[in-house]
Amino acid sequence: MGRLPVDALEPGMVLASDLLGSDGKMLLPKGMTLTDSLIGSLRKRGVPGADVADPGSGDADAGDVTEALLQESAAHVARRFLANDLSHPAIAALYEIAVMAQARALADGVPIAPEIGPNPRAESMGDLFFREEGGVEDLVDSEVKLASFPDIYFKIRQVLDSPVSSSSQVADVISKDTSLTAKLLKLVNSPFYGLPHRVDSISRAVMVLGSQEVSTLALGIAAMNAFKDIPPELINMRTFWEHSMAVGVFARLLGDAAAGKGSERLFVAGVLHDIGRLVIFKKLPHAAVEAIYYAKGNMTPLCVAENEVLGFSHPLIGGLLLKAWKFPEALVTTVSCHHTPSSCAGDVEAAALHLADIMAVALGHTPPASVMVPALDPGAWATLGLEPDRLTAVAEAGRDQIDEIVGAFFPVRKN
């Protein structure tokens, strides 16, 4: 069809090229199917027109998405959003993105994954900690004392805590851990950063990104190894970290979209945002399973179920744990209020992490045994100051980055 003015665009048309705004930033990616709300957003933004593909042309990657597939997808996706107001512009945009993504997967022959609940064996596990033994702080303190942290974490912390340490010392300490170095370099050289030249050493990574940023990434990766002893009956750790990495990617992209800079701290905050859940699974396995059943039975987000069953939820535990591990205070705060960003109102990073978690679950990057999209805090959306159609570009950019980063940390799944 070629170039059409915005008033001539119709729902169902597919973009033949990336649609850019007046600032040069991508509004919608090539191959995106236009909807009423997207066209309305383009009108509001004053976009004059767009290049659309001819019907049935090979340019449209959604060409095989039929009305029947869209209906099947919508019926499945709608259940994820029951805790949210679909009339909110951001949630409406995410819902449309999620429906289209699921429909495309169905068109490609990928079936809808079944919901997997807790392993029945987990119900017989006894809790290792009880309320009468102390408060939440005691629960966290017991985990801090027993956590099996890799030596590299403490070595990095020692360098960072020294007033006379240098960037070269940071690079030297990290480089001595070959596994950590390999993961860091894969991350730095991935589309996540989009660097113009390949980085082949930690010292070079420190020069490009800065010692504080590289150290924060290294500490976050090292922290992932502290919970290897949780029984598989309780939680699928790969699925847990895949969700966490997706949140990290979206958080950094949203930070960039809202503030012009997505920090490494936001990515690490995303990777570690649910680490409090691991403490609950480890110390209170039976109660953790009860919370999952409560969430499923009442069709409510897991965070709400945790408060009902336990009297507290994983963001509080996660924040206390990261504080005890001496992560940056801003990161601790961001993790602590990622489900209640109004408690740190005006904080762009907290708002970005909050929305990133919502996006990840909405688009199918769900944590184990939890498929409900957390409720959006309207104040957090206002803090970000984004237009709803920007979420499409974030979702598309995140798709490839998530696959790349997960591949850097986990071997490719064999069918």
Side-chain angles (χ1 to χ4, degrees):
M1 287 186 180
R3 186 80 175 177
L4 293 179
V6 68
D7 289 335
L9 299 177
E10 297 179 359
M13 289 183 174
V14 177
L15 292 179
S17 61
D18 292 342
L19 182 59
L20 306 181
S22 57
D23 57 0
K25 291 187 176 181
M26 183 168 66
L27 299 178
L28 298 172
K30 173 183 176 181
M32 187 66 199
T33 301
L34 296 176
T35 62
D36 281 324
S37 64
L38 288 177
I39 295 171
S41 294
L42 296 180
R43 289 195 182 102
K44 290 179 182 178
R45 294 176 70 93
V47 176
D51 294 321
V52 294
D54 292 327
S57 73
D59 291 336
D61 62 359
D64 294 330
V65 174
T66 64
E67 184 63 30
L69 288 179
L70 282 171
Q71 290 180 2
E72 181 181 356
S73 173
H76 173 71
V77 170
R79 295 182 69 251
R80 298 182 200 160
F81 285 82
L82 288 177
N84 277 280
D85 177 9
L86 281 175
S87 67
H88 188 284
I91 293 299
L94 277 178
Y95 176 77
E96 287 189 357
I97 296 168
V99 169
M100 181 57 68
Q102 182 63 71
R104 284 173 174 166
L106 290 171
D108 289 338
V110 181
I112 293 175
E115 292 184 19
I116 300 176
N119 188 309
R121 288 181 56 191
E123 298 180 51
S124 63
M125 294 182 178
D127 290 344
L128 305 178
F129 190 92
F130 301 94
R131 291 189 192 183
E132 57 267 22
E133 293 178 356
V136 174
E137 291 79 4
D138 300 296
L139 173 63
V140 173
D141 186 55
S142 68
E143 177 55 35
V144 170
K145 290 177 179 176
L146 296 176
S148 178
F149 250 60
D151 290 340
I152 185 63
Y153 177 88
F154 299 104
K155 291 177 180 177
I156 298 171
R157 275 257 59 98
Q158 185 177 20
V159 173
L160 292 178
D161 292 340
S162 171
V164 296
S165 64
S166 64
S167 298
S168 61
Q169 286 176 300
V170 170
D172 185 58
V173 168
I174 296 175
S175 297
K176 284 182 167 59
D177 188 299
T178 55
S179 175
L180 177 59
T181 295
K183 290 175 180 177
L184 267 175
L185 291 180
K186 284 183 179 179
L187 178 60
V188 171
N189 286 302
S190 73
F192 183 67
Y193 282 97
L195 298 178
H197 304 291
R198 183 170 181 79
V199 174
D200 56 5
S201 68
I202 296 299
S203 59
R204 177 62 181 165
V206 168
M207 289 178 62
V208 174
L209 301 178
S211 60
Q212 187 61 52
E213 287 77 5
V214 172
S215 297
T216 301
L217 287 172
L219 291 175
I221 294 171
M224 292 172 62
N225 295 320
F227 291 92
K228 290 184 174 180
D229 56 344
I230 297 180
E233 292 87 355
L234 279 172
I235 188 171
N236 182 316
M237 292 299 289
R238 173 171 177 144
T239 302
F240 176 88
W241 290 121
E242 286 180 352
H243 164 71
S244 299
M245 290 175 186
V247 174
V249 168
F250 286 135
R252 189 170 183 271
L253 288 169
L254 288 167
D256 183 57
K261 185 178 186 302
S263 70
E264 283 64 40
R265 186 171 64 217
L266 259 177
F267 172 69
V268 174
V271 171
L272 301 180
H273 79 287
D274 272 351
I275 203 164
R277 287 191 69 196
L278 297 183
V279 176
I280 294 173
F281 272 115
K282 189 172 181 180
K283 299 294 183 181
L284 301 163
H286 184 75
V289 171
E290 284 187 351
I292 291 172
Y293 283 133
Y294 183 97
K296 288 183 175 294
N298 294 277
M299 297 302 291
T300 187
L302 186 57
C303 185
V304 175
E306 288 172 349
N307 276 315
E308 291 292 332
V309 174
L310 303 171
F312 56 84
S313 60
H314 64 271
L316 173 61
I317 300 293
L320 291 172
L321 189 64
L322 295 178
K323 183 176 182 178
W325 286 344
K326 297 184 179 180
F327 275 86
E329 186 61 34
L331 189 149
V332 171
T333 300
T334 301
V335 168
S336 298
C337 60
H338 74 268
H339 281 304
T340 55
S342 56
S343 61
C344 45
D347 188 325
V348 173
E349 292 197 351
L353 182 60
H354 172 69
L355 183 57
D357 190 28
I358 289 171
M359 284 193 72
V361 181
L363 299 179
H365 303 285
T366 57
S370 177
V371 296
M372 293 293 294
V373 176
L376 173 69
D377 183 324
W381 174 249
T383 295
L384 291 173
L386 300 175
E387 292 292 334
D389 56 295
R390 287 297 298 275
L391 297 180
T392 302
V394 170
E396 292 291 333
R399 182 173 58 184
D400 293 336
Q401 292 185 15
I402 291 166
D403 290 342
E404 185 85 16
I405 290 173
V406 168
F409 284 81
F410 299 102
V412 178
R413 291 181 189 268
K414 293 183 179 180
N415 295 327

